Amino acid sequence: MLRPMLQRLRADILLLQEVHGQDEPGRPRGLRALATLLAGTAYAGHQLRSTTLAGKPDVERLRNLVFVIPPGWEVLETREIRHALVPPPEYRRVMASPPEPPRPLFWERPLLYGRVRSPFGTLHLLNAHFKSKRPSEIAGQTRGQHPRISWASAAGWAEGFFVSSMKRVGAALETRVVLDRIFADEPEAKIILGGDLNAESDEVPVVALRGEVDDHGNPELNDQQMYPLEDNVPADKRFSFYHHGRKTMLDHLLASRRLLAAWRGTEIHNEILRDESRAFATDRKYPAPDHAPVVAEFDDALLAD
């Protein structure tokens, strides 16, 4: 299922989310399933850079962020950023039972940052996967296990949404701080930010990343805007996720103004998406990913310095 989807992208760089790691006796946990998937495709031999366990060579067991970068491109730097620039806020869950003291709210996943030297100059890559819209756990407020969870109170359920929203917007804030720092050092930086942001382009996390003058009111920051690259796709085809009968655009590619000058267009490969919330819509019946790939194309000549 996945190989044809990857081949169809015809991409130089892949930004992947939710890539699981595999154990092998005597070796660090690695991306062995991904390497097997890429073998025999146009991405065989590409360089893989991913999130890791803190201080260890192992990748995370679940939901790694991964860059897939052409073999001839020099990877100058990769970093994971989580609470390095924005400390976790303290919050006391008001509906928790028994009552809890305030405790930190940590983002679900780090931001994966990369800087590469390509045939088109230096590129800054940001790979993100923000907290889902599913409500976060509130002690004593849930019964059962996902997907068959019920809540003890509507207020507890609402607070779960509130906590998830704080995590999502907080991660977006830290990502925007990273963008500001790149622009401060390199005003005409070539930046691509992509991933599962679990928000549509007019919702707070993506609006914060975009940094439009209409919102913050400072025209001196005009060149630091980030532009969603799906706006050329017709509205009825502009979706990457299908749930409860509603088609939404949760997965985005955003580009800096310097890259926007070379942008040719975007495709969203959503033709085989199924509503995963339907009864009996199991992974066995529908094994394809439940998020659609988003691919942007740039003009090589205009992209080069």
Side-chain angles (χ1 to χ4, degrees), residues 127-201:
N127 191 351
H129 185 184
F130 294 164
K131 176 70 179 78
S132 72
K133 295 188 177 185
R134 185 179 301 138
S136 294
E137 182 178 352
I138 307 295
Q141 286 290 324
T142 57
R143 307 184 183 99
Q145 293 183 341
H146 178 74
R148 298 184 180 277
I149 289 177
S150 64
W151 288 79
S153 70
W157 169 75
E159 185 175 32
F161 278 121
F162 177 56
V163 171
S164 294
S165 297
M166 284 194 287
K167 292 180 178 181
R168 193 162 52 252
V169 176
L173 166 62
E174 188 159 45
T175 304
R176 184 65 235 192
V177 174
V178 173
L179 290 168
D180 279 17
R181 293 192 173 194
I182 295 171
F183 282 122
D185 292 336
E186 193 178 337
E188 294 192 5
K190 299 173 183 176
I191 306 173
I192 281 285
L193 163 61
D196 179 1
L197 306 184
N198 276 304
E200 298 201 66
S201 63

Side-chain angles (χ1 to χ4, degrees), residues 9-10 20 51 71 109 135 169 173 186 193 202 258 295:
L9 294 175
R10 297 177 291 108
H20 294 353
T51 46
R109 287 162 287 271
V169 176
L173 166 62
E186 193 178 337
L193 163 61
D202 59 351
R258 176 63 184 84
V295 57

Side-chain angles (χ1 to χ4, degrees), residues 230-240 247-248 268 270:
E230 70 264 13
D231 287 350
N232 74 307
V233 178
D236 62 330
K237 303 294 185 184
R238 196 184 308 150
F239 64 94
S240 65
K247 298 175 179 180
T248 54
I268 306 168
N270 52 23

